[in-house]
Amino acid sequence: MIERKQELLAIALILIFTAPLFILGGNSHIRIHDNLDSNMTWYRVLLDSGNYLAKTGSNIPQMLDGVAPRDAFDSQFVGIVWLYAIFPTPLAFAVSQLITRIFAFIGMRLWLRDYIIKDPSKKYITLFVAVAFALTPFWPSGMLSTLGMPLALWAFLNIRKGKRSIWNWLILTLLPFYSSLILGFCFLLFLVACIWVYDIVKKRGWNWRFFGSIAYMSAIYCVVNYRFISQMFFQTNEPDSRSAFNLPNNSFLGSIRLTFKNFTIGHTHDQPLATYVILPVILLAFIVMLVKKDWRAQKPFLWLLALNFSLSIWYAFWWWGAWNPIKEQISIMRSFNFSRFHFLQPFIFYGLFALALVYFASRGGWWKKLAIIGLVLQIGVVFAGNSEILYRVAGTPSIDQFYARNQFQDIKAYIGKPQKDYRVASIGIHPSISQENGFYTLDGYVNSYPLSYKEKFREIIAKELDKSPLLKDYYDGWGNRVYIFSAELGKNYLFDKNSTKHIKHLELDTKAFKEMGGEYIFSAVPIDNASENNLHLEKTFEDEQSAWKIYLYKVGDLNAG
């Protein structure tokens, strides 16, 4: 009866956590970085482009003047895009969050119950650690890329042990449709493959069923991600933007510092929120084990701790400059980010947390109370990290305020021409806003596109880049954000309508802009020297429900100014 009540409480916590997204809808506050500024708009653009099902090698006409490759985005087999085809943007986001968190909870609970915590009297720890894990922040468009790992590992380990169940194979079949291979699961598959090799070395025999499960899931991922594979390995007509990425140049000491930063704070795309409760609890458990000299009986804990810290070392030292001679010779080491083994860390942290809590609870007395307090505190930490709290307090716009649909419809009506007949760009706001509203842009945020376009677009902003070494390195050395940069604004694209910022000394090559088909610039701030840039202020647009005040500038004739 108590266990049933605990299960109901666990489910209630997940529903309460996700409820604001459903209740507030477009008024909810969510992550902008690598979310509203990119992926959420990409889904809508893909669906509206008519090229969603296009053959490999096709382009998306609405972005980067039509050179954005269709294959740089998710294939038609990725489930999150289906949600955006069925539901409005805010509801699609909410449903995806609920799906991800429910299956994260189920997977973590199963993995802990069957392979980490064997003591049946500690089921409450298994249950609520699973809740805390399910409520951690994650990169939204990654879906189950990190939070689905315990579920996949549970299925793999079942097959490894010879457990025959259709559920194991169903999990391995369906997860590739709701997760990312390159942003998570390729690293889990590598880890599972290492377990298979370990079994061989330990003379447990060649477990072909286990090997077959790894190959099976890998094959499904190849089908789901056929566009990425095609672009990465088979489309070599011209260099893409990734080929010009700068090589990292971290020093040895800098890499050591980054190791501890990653281990204690995490990465923006897979934060376990371990800093304040989980890590102190884990380290305290480790110290007590050493002092009490019972660490030999805690091998799973020690192995997981060593693995997790090793992942931080790998992440940090991937950016060490000493690698560069090798990376210069092997192109895939420049274009693919092998540091991302850190995507394995969140579920390992929670496995360690569960083991530490069980270790304390088993000692009884105030140690058990400490375990319960730690569990409650961590649930409090993840609730405090709820996007509605985090981003509302930070003052970021809601979904509807960000996309400002009414305001941009007014701009569209004012221009009065079919949107496909002209090109626009943005200053001081993300291009995703105009793209979400149907405008065709010269700018955009794309992970891979022709290097020739990057060089062509650079002519527009060359003088601004020369003013700012930071922006110059950002664009030339990375360049996924093909933005109209201003040295006076820096890397800030969120100048809302309350901003008092002006651009006083803008230097754009508007002739190059015009030659590329650009006609209008949407600026979030006034450009004081607009006339010197052959720009004419057409009209200022404001809207009660928008976060922005948009200054619409039109580029003059090529022979003007």
Side-chain angles (χ1 to χ4, degrees):
M1 191 64 171
I2 293 176
E3 186 177 340
R4 182 64 175 166
K5 288 180 179 179
Q6 289 174 344
E7 289 174 344
L8 291 174
L9 176 59
I11 294 168
L13 288 172
I14 295 172
L15 295 177
I16 290 168
F17 188 89
T18 54
L21 293 171
F22 291 92
I23 296 169
L24 297 175
N27 293 318
S28 57
H29 294 75
I30 63 175
R31 175 183 174 134
I32 292 176
H33 177 66
D34 284 350
N35 191 38
L36 282 171
D37 68 352
S38 49
N39 292 78
M40 288 179 66
T41 297
W42 295 346
Y43 306 141
R44 190 61 59 200
V45 169
L46 278 178
L47 293 165
D48 294 343
S49 69
N51 284 18
Y52 178 49
L53 301 175
K55 64 181 182 180
T56 57
S58 301
N59 293 333
I60 301 297
Q62 198 180 327
M63 303 170 71
L64 304 191
D65 197 24
V67 304
R70 168 64 186 92
D71 300 330
F73 306 99
D74 287 328
S75 81
Q76 61 269 35
F77 298 127
V78 177
I80 194 169
V81 187
W82 307 343
L83 294 180
Y84 282 79
I86 298 169
F87 302 115
T89 295
L91 183 55
F93 182 85
V95 172
S96 181
Q97 287 280 307
L98 184 59
I99 290 171
T100 302
R101 297 192 185 284
I102 286 173
F103 282 97
F105 167 71
I106 293 170
M108 178 57 74
R109 188 184 184 193
L110 290 173
W111 178 60
L112 291 178
R113 184 196 69 187
D114 292 348
Y115 292 101
I116 301 299
I117 299 174
K118 303 296 177 66
D119 186 349
S121 68
K122 305 299 187 297
K123 284 184 179 179
Y124 68 96
I125 291 178
T126 298
L127 187 68
F128 290 105
V129 167
V131 170
F133 173 75
L135 302 186
T136 54
F138 66 98
W139 176 50
S141 292
M143 304 160 283
L144 284 162
S145 300
T146 53
L147 296 194
M149 287 182 180
L151 185 60
L153 185 58
W154 176 77
F156 278 125
L157 293 176
N158 286 345
I159 294 168
R160 179 191 183 216
K161 288 185 70 174
K163 294 182 179 180
R164 295 177 180 268
S165 170
I166 189 64
W167 288 108
N168 298 328
W169 295 97
L170 192 61
I171 288 167
L172 301 186
T173 301
L174 295 180
L175 270 174
F177 293 91
Y178 213 75
S179 59
S180 170
L181 174 65
I182 61 171
L183 294 171
F185 262 84
C186 63
F187 307 108
L188 181 73
L189 287 167
F190 179 83
L191 175 65
V192 176
C194 289
I195 295 173
W196 181 72
V197 172
Y198 171 82
D199 288 347
I200 295 172
V201 173
K202 283 292 186 177
K203 303 187 184 301
R204 296 181 183 180
W206 296 71
N207 190 336
W208 290 115
R209 182 180 290 273
F210 184 31
F211 175 80
S213 68
I214 302 169
Y216 174 72
M217 192 180 206
S218 300
I220 295 179
Y221 267 118
C222 287
V223 173
V224 172
N225 292 272
Y226 79 97
R227 291 188 181 275
F228 166 77
I229 293 169
S230 171
Q231 186 191 38
M232 178 70 80
F233 298 106
F234 301 109
Q235 296 175 27
T236 56
N237 296 333
E238 64 173 307
D240 72 0
S241 57
R242 291 173 300 191
S243 65
F245 282 177
N246 273 353
L247 292 172
N249 201 29
N250 242 15
S251 67
F252 182 79
L253 289 177
S255 296
I256 291 176
R257 286 193 295 268
L258 187 56
T259 296
F260 286 95
K261 180 182 178 182
N262 175 258
F263 189 69
T264 56
I265 299 175
H267 188 275
T268 180
H269 285 161
D270 56 4
Q271 291 182 322
L273 294 183
T275 310
Y276 302 108
V277 177
I278 291 179
L279 201 53
V281 166
I282 290 171
L283 294 178
L284 178 61
F286 180 59
I287 292 169
V288 173
M289 289 173 193
L290 294 178
V291 171
K292 298 294 182 180
K293 298 181 180 179
D294 56 1
W295 55 271
R296 290 183 178 84
Q298 307 297 329
K299 286 185 179 179
F301 178 90
L302 298 177
W303 275 111
L304 287 178
L305 183 59
L307 173 60
N308 227 21
F309 190 69
S310 297
L311 293 173
S312 287
I313 294 173
W314 173 261
Y315 166 75
F317 277 87
W318 179 255
W319 307 110
W320 185 26
W323 277 96
N324 290 349
I326 300 173
K327 292 179 180 179
E328 286 171 353
Q329 301 300 318
I330 305 175
S331 62
I332 195 172
M333 292 183 71
R334 294 196 306 272
S335 58
F336 187 80
N337 188 350
F338 284 94
S339 75
R340 288 173 172 158
F341 276 94
H342 63 76
F343 283 120
L344 295 168
Q345 287 185 299
F347 87 88
I348 297 175
F349 260 122
Y350 279 85
L352 282 165
F353 185 48
L355 285 169
L357 294 178
V358 168
Y359 178 73
F360 288 140
S362 299
R363 299 183 69 83
W366 70 272
W367 288 105
K368 184 176 181 180
K369 293 178 181 177
L370 176 64
I372 295 172
I373 291 170
L375 192 52
V376 171
L377 286 177
Q378 183 58 25
I379 290 176
V381 167
V382 294
F383 259 89
N386 185 291
S387 64
E388 189 57 39
I389 297 172
L390 194 65
Y391 297 113
R392 183 183 286 271
V393 170
T396 58
S398 67
I399 298 173
D400 286 348
Q401 288 173 330
F402 183 85
Y403 284 131
R405 289 181 175 84
N406 292 338
Q407 185 179 29
F408 278 78
Q409 285 303 306
D410 290 344
I411 298 173
K412 173 187 171 183
Y414 176 85
I415 293 174
K417 297 187 291 186
Q419 288 172 301
K420 64 182 178 60
D421 290 348
Y422 58 94
R423 300 293 180 266
V424 306
S426 301
I427 296 178
I429 56 172
H430 292 284
S432 64
I433 299 168
S434 53
Q435 290 162 359
E436 178 80 12
N437 287 285
F439 290 95
Y440 285 61
T441 68
L442 294 181
D443 52 357
Y445 182 3
V446 181
N447 291 325
S448 173
Y449 60 95
L451 181 59
S452 58
Y453 189 84
K454 178 180 179 180
E455 294 167 347
K456 190 176 179 182
F457 189 90
R458 193 189 191 284
E459 295 176 18
I460 302 171
I461 56 174
K463 291 183 179 179
E464 289 299 314
L465 296 183
D466 287 341
K467 296 177 189 176
S468 170
L470 177 67
L471 289 177
K472 189 173 185 177
D473 182 68
Y474 188 59
Y475 185 82
D476 291 343
W478 185 57
N480 286 359
R481 292 191 190 272
V482 187
Y483 284 20
I484 300 285
F485 288 113
S486 161
E488 294 172 69
L489 301 185
K491 288 165 55 177
N492 186 351
Y493 329 112
L494 290 174
F495 289 92
D496 64 24
K497 58 189 175 186
N498 298 314
S499 171
T500 58
K501 183 72 176 178
H502 284 231
I503 301 177
K504 300 180 184 297
H505 306 290
L506 185 66
E507 291 185 85
L508 298 181
D509 188 338
T510 46
K511 180 180 179 182
F513 181 80
K514 189 83 171 180
E515 288 174 343
M516 291 178 69
E519 289 190 48
Y520 296 96
I521 288 179
F522 303 154
S523 181
V525 297
I527 302 172
D528 290 353
N529 66 331
S531 60
E532 296 174 19
N533 289 271
N534 197 20
L535 296 173
H536 176 259
L537 179 61
E538 292 279 298
K539 188 177 179 181
T540 303
F541 292 84
E542 294 189 71
D543 185 86
E544 227 176 54
Q545 296 180 336
S546 167
W548 324 111
K549 183 176 182 179
I550 301 298
Y551 299 83
L552 177 65
Y553 290 94
K554 186 174 183 180
V555 182
D557 295 334
L558 288 179
N559 58 359

